[in-house]
């Protein structure tokens, strides 16, 4: 059970500070409402129980005080620690207090889950069923939200959670609704519980401090910016991403085109030659085609002529053959006889060849036996040589064995290796000791050298710093170094590397700018934050990225880099300077500030110096009213006060507030005399360094002398060791050699025994070879006799062949005699026959030639080119075409290209270049469209962002000023990557420090908590969300910070026209500030709180006790 109390302070004009008291608690069935301070007991709960659903404003405040979407009421049943409870909330600051474990954070959980958000937002249980109270099956939540002006009733979002199936059921105003319906309602009311800038539960406080600057910008916009700005930011992100992709694609295409054009240009000379060569080749092909046509025509004509001659020769031959047939009959018979005799000659020649083959076959065994005899004789000679070698080797071995035995009989001196090794190790030990001492001396000497070098560098830097104190620039640099060491390091690097940038990059305005009229120096500086004096200014995107990468990334410096793309002329004042006198103002900040134009333009863009006015004197009330009425000037400083006019147009024309703060003394751009104590301190440091350098030099010299002496001793020890090693090795070698002689003798005797065995084996092999030689000699004799028999058969076959050859000669003589008698007739027949045969050959040859030529011509001759080519072929002969072809081929040989594939590559590159250029044109068109769209959106979004962050910065800085600390909020703008735009929070909690970026590593937990709550408070006046929740943010703060934070929180959260605020805390300090617009909720629960807890924990009684004690303390 968790009783809850809602306490609201009465209006200032009420008679009693405690006249209004409302109590709700106990077991959820009792309620107490005390309108009469004399009542001591709580009435029955039935008299004051609130309704189950409230659709209009409750008694806690009128409908007009709640912003649309603010939480009017929260009701719980069986939820976490609560059996039943109902909270009636105030429209401004709601402080929920109670000991740990009483259920304060359960109220936060109820708001989160009841409005449709998941448990992950809380950083707690992941299952919805885990939030059902132990012992119950389901939990019920009811969250009532303030309606919009156009709506008739409030929004009551109901939720039932079932433990069994972990399910959720939503209702809106009593009607069953889906989760999407609830989410839609939250979007319409700008409720963003998943945004840590709006809803910061207890378990998410550390996560908020861990947000990256990029994530913080995202959360800040969702919490404080209009919806249009959030949509613009998303469009810019998508646009910049598409722009980067398009630019990268365009650059790549452009580089590819340049590369291909360069390669194409290298191929140009070869391409020209190849094109000329191609033209000549095409002409050669055409001439060859014409030659083929001409050759076909010639072959066709020759074929027709040869065919005609063949017919005529055939008729003439047949006629002659019929007329001489009787005279040739005898010759034919004799020719038949001659052919028969030739057959006999051929047959007997074959018989002779068979006899010769048989003789050759019989010769094979003779040659084989002869080869075996030669092989055996060679083996016998080899074995005899081997026998002689073995016998000689045995004599040598006997002599070596005798010599070794004689040496073994002479024993050398005794050798004790341990004694020698002991002497050598002793020398090694002495040498290592001296080497170690030498190394120690070298290290000590190197340390002294490094220290001396560092001291000289320090001395040189101090001398330059001392000299610089006598110049204005030196004084400024010294001041910069003391105020912001990181900025000083960045400026030192920039001066040495200015040439690396496209355009001039300017250092901190503290160095580069000055105030024209010193009377206005405090007024001018009041318009600037501390970071404005230390920032760097670039003029191009590339320079911004290069400088940021160097200072942030490479050097790890915490500095601000800004870029201004507008000229100084771009910034025009809202009212001409001549007309400022009507407002009691002297001029604009820009009129009194001198410096480089890009730096002044940057300050105008960031801090609106061209719109911020100054006056040495205070302005009158009438002048202030006129400034406020005309709405032209929102920032000005007059006398010793700084004015800022803020307008919330969404709340109507009357929603205007003015913040007035006292002017502080400016810390920069002042003429200050050189600090003599600082000069004296620098001289003292230089003298100390010089004295230390002299001391180090003497010590270095002494160490060098000791090192040289040790080096000499090491060299002498090394020589002694070498001599000992030489003597030891000689004695050891002699002893080892003598000790191994028995083994050598034994080995030699074994070799002698083995050699004797081999000698006996050689004798046996020689006797066996002699027997083999006798057997082979007998086999050869038998083969020779058989071969002699085949030679007799050859002689008989040769005699028969000679006889047949004589018959052949006689027959040929008779044929020749008859032919001579009919020579004339035969000659005529042969001539005619030759003519017929020649005509036949010519006809066949010309036919084949014509057919081949026709096949080749058919390959290229078509209906389209037939007429032209045939006509061209008729005007010249084949020889003329060959002459033309030869001339063109000679020309072709004169044209040579270094790269035969150049033309193909050239044309391939040409096609690719054309494709790439088309793609480049498309990408450039798309890039231009993207740039135009980005510029259009950015021109609207960025000024609103600067204005929004500027307002946050003013509130944030003001909060820190109230606790004597410093803080600022800015926007880090990365011109190359929009995704890197971020919120940059810098804070300073101690004097002498510089502003440091807020993160999880640099500040303590308490400092981070203060910074977090101040940032959330800075968002309060700008909040687009209807309510904000912060759970136990004050934990970890010291009492001083907690009191100051509470003071600022009450001041900010209880203003008019601000959103609802929840602060959950287990404890508070005493005597804290209270405001009539705030409401305090006290939660009491635990094992000791029973059903009568409402009566026992009666705040009405507590008030009466307090009043009595107060009355007793007052003097009579």
């Amino acid at each position: 059970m968790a009783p809850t109390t809602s306490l609201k302070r009465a209006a200032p004009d009420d008679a009693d500070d405690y006249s209004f008291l409302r109590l709700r608690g106990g077991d959820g069935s009792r309620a107490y409402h005390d309108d009469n301070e004399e009542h001591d007991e709580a009435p029955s709960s039935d008299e004051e129980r609130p309704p189950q659903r409230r659709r209009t404003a409750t008694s806690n405040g009128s409908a007009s005080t709640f912003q649309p979407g603010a939480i009017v009421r929260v009701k719980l049943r069986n939820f976490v620690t609560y059996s039943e409870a109902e909270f009636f909330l105030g429209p401004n600051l709601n402080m929920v207090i109670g000991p740990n474990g009483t259920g304060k954070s359960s109220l936060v959980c109820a708001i989160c889950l009841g409005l449709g958000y998941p448990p992950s937002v809380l950083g707690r249980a992941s299952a919805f069923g885990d939030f059902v109270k132990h012992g119950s099956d389901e939990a019920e939540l009811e969250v009532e939200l303030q309606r919009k002006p156009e709506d008739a009733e409030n929004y009551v979002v109901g939720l039932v959670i079932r433990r069994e199936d972990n399910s959720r059921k939503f209702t809106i105003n009593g009607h069953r609704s889906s989760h999407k319906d609830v989410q839609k309602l939250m979007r319409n009311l700008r409720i963003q519980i998943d945004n840590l800038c709006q809803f910061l539960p207890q378990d998410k406080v550390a996560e908020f401090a861990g947000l990256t600057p990029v994530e913080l910008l995202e959360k800040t916009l969702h919490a404080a910016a209009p919806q249009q700005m959030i949509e613009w930011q998303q469009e810019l992100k998508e646009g910049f991403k598409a722009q980067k992709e398009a630019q990268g694609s365009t650059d790549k295409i452009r580089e590819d085109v340049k590369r291909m054009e360069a390669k194409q240009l290298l191929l140009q000379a070869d391409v020209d030659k190849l094109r000329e060569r191609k033209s000549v080749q095409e002409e050669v092909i055409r001439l060859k085609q014409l030659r083929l046509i001409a050759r076909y025509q010639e072959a066709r004509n020759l074929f027709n002529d040869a065919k005609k001659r063949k017919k005529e020769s055939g008729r003439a031959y047949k006629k002659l053959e019929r007329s001489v047939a009787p005279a040739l009959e005898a010759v034919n018979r004799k020719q038949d006889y001659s052919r028969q005799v030739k057959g006999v000659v051929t047959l007997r020649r074959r018989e002779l060849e068979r006899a010769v083959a048989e003789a050759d076959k019989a010769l094979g065994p003779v040659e084989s036996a002869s080869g075996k005899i030669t092989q055996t004789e060679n083996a016998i000679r080899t074995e005899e040589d081997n026998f002689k070698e073995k016998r000689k080797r045995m004599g040598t071995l006997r002599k070596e064995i005798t010599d070794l035995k004689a040496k073994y009989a002479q024993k050398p001196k005794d050798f004790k290796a341990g004694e020698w090794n002991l002497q050598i190790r002793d020398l090694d030990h002495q040498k290592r000791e001296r080497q170690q001492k030498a190394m120690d001396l070298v290290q000590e000497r190197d340390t002294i050298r490094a220290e001396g070098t560092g001291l000289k560098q320090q001395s040189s830097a101090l001398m330059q710093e001392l000299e610089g104190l006598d110049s204005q620039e030196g004084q400024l640099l010294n001041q910069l170094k003391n105020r912001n060491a990181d900025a000083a390091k960045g400026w030192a690097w920039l001066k040495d590397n200015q040439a690396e940038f496209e355009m001039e990059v300017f250092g901190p305005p503290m160095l580069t700018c000055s105030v024209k009229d010193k009377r206005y120096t405090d007024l001018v500086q009041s318009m600037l934050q501390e970071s404005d004096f230390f920032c760097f200014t670039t003029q191009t995107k590339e320079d911004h990225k290069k400088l940021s990468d160097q200072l942030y990334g490479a050097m790890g410096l915490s500095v601000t880099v800004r870029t201004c793309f507008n000229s100084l002329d771009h910034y025009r004042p809202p009212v001409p300077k001549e007309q400022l006198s009507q407002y009691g103002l002297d001029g604009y900040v820009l009129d009194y500030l001198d410096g480089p134009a890009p730096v002044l333009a940057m300050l105008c863009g960031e801090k609106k110096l061209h719109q911020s006015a100054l006056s040495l004197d205070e302005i009158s009330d009438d002048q202030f009213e006129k400034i406020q009425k005309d709405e032209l000037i929102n920032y000005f400083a007059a006398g010793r006060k700084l004015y800022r006019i803020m307008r919330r147009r969404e709340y109507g024309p009357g929603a205007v507030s003015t913040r007035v703060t006292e002017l502080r003394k400016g810390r920069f751009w002042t003429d200050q005399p050189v600090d003599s104590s600082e000069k004296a301190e620098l001289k003292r440091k230089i003298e100390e360094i010089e004295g230390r350098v002299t001391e180090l030099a003497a010590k270095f010299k002494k160490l060098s002398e000791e090192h040289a002496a040790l080096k000499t001793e090491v060299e002498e020890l090394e020589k002694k060791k070498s001599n000992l090693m030489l003597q030891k090795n000689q004695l050891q070698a002699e002893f080892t050699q003598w000790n191994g002689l028995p083994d050598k003798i034994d080995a030699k005797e074994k070799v002698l025994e083995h050699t004797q065995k081999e000698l006996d084996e050689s004798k046996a092999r020689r006797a066996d070879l002699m027997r083999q030689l006798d057997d082979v000699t007998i086999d050869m004799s038998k083969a020779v006799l058989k071969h002699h028999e085949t030679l007799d058969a050859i002689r008989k076959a040769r005699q028969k062949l000679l006889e047949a050859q004589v018959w052949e000669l006689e027959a040929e003589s008779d044929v020749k005699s008859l032919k001579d008698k009919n020579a004339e007739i035969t000659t005529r027949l042969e001539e005619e026959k030759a003519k017929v045969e020649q005509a036949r050959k010519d006809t066949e040859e010309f036919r084949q030639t014509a057919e081949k030529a026709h096949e080749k011509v058919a390959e290229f001759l078509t209906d389209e080119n037939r007429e032209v080519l045939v006509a061209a072929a008729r005007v010249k002969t084949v020889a003329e075409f060959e002459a033309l072809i030869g001339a063109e081929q000679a020309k072709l040989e004169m044209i040579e290209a270094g790269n035969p594939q150049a033309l193909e590559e050239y044309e391939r590159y040409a096609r690719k270049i054309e494709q790439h250029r088309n793609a480049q044109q498309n990408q450039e068109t798309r890039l231009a469209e993207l740039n135009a769209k980005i510029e259009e959106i950015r021109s609207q979004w960025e000024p609103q962002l600067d204005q929004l962050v500027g307002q946050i910065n003013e509130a944030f800085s003001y909060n820190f000023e109230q606790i004597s600390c410093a803080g600022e909020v800015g926007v880090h703008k990365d011109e190359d990557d929009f995704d890197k735009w971020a919120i940059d929070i810098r804070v300073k909690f101690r004097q002498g420090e510089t502003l440091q970026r807020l993160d999880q590593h640099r500040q303590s937990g308490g400092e981070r908590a203060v910074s977090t709550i101040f940032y959330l408070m800075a968002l309060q006046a700008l909040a687009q969300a209807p309510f904000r929740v912060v759970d136990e943010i004050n934990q970890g703060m010291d009492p001083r910070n907690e009191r100051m934070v509470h003071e600022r929180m009450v001041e900010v959260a209880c203003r008019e026209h601000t959103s609802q605020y929840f602060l959950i805390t287990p404890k508070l300090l005493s005597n804290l500030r209270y405001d009539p617009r705030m409401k305090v909720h006290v939660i009491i629960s635990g094992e000791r709180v029973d059903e009568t807890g409402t009566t026992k924990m009666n705040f009405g009684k507590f008030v009466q006790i307090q009043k009595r004690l107060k009355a007793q303390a007052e003097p009579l």
Side-chain angles (χ1 to χ4, degrees), residues 637-704:
R640 299 302 300 175
K641 290 185 174 60
L642 177 65
Y643 297 82
R644 180 188 176 216
I645 300 174
M646 295 172 286
R647 296 177 174 86
R648 294 296 297 270
R649 302 187 188 280
E650 63 268 28
Y651 298 127
V656 179
S657 62
T658 302
R659 177 183 293 170
V660 182
T661 56
E662 289 293 328
L663 227 64
R664 291 185 298 179
K665 185 69 176 175
R667 297 186 297 164
F668 307 98
W669 298 330
T670 58
D671 295 328
Q672 297 179 351
V674 177
D675 188 353
S676 59
S677 63
E678 187 173 355
K679 292 184 67 174
E681 179 65 17
L682 288 174
K683 290 180 180 179
R684 185 189 63 77
K685 289 181 179 178
I686 292 172
E687 291 175 357
E688 286 183 357
I689 290 174
E690 290 176 349
R692 178 60 178 164
V693 169
T694 303
E695 180 185 341
L696 291 175
K699 190 174 182 180
F700 184 87
K701 181 178 179 182
K702 181 181 178 181
L703 291 175
S704 298

Side-chain angles (χ1 to χ4, degrees), residues 21-32:
L21 185 66
R22 181 176 181 85
L23 179 65
R24 172 76 177 174
D27 60 357
S29 62
R30 295 175 172 81
Y32 175 70

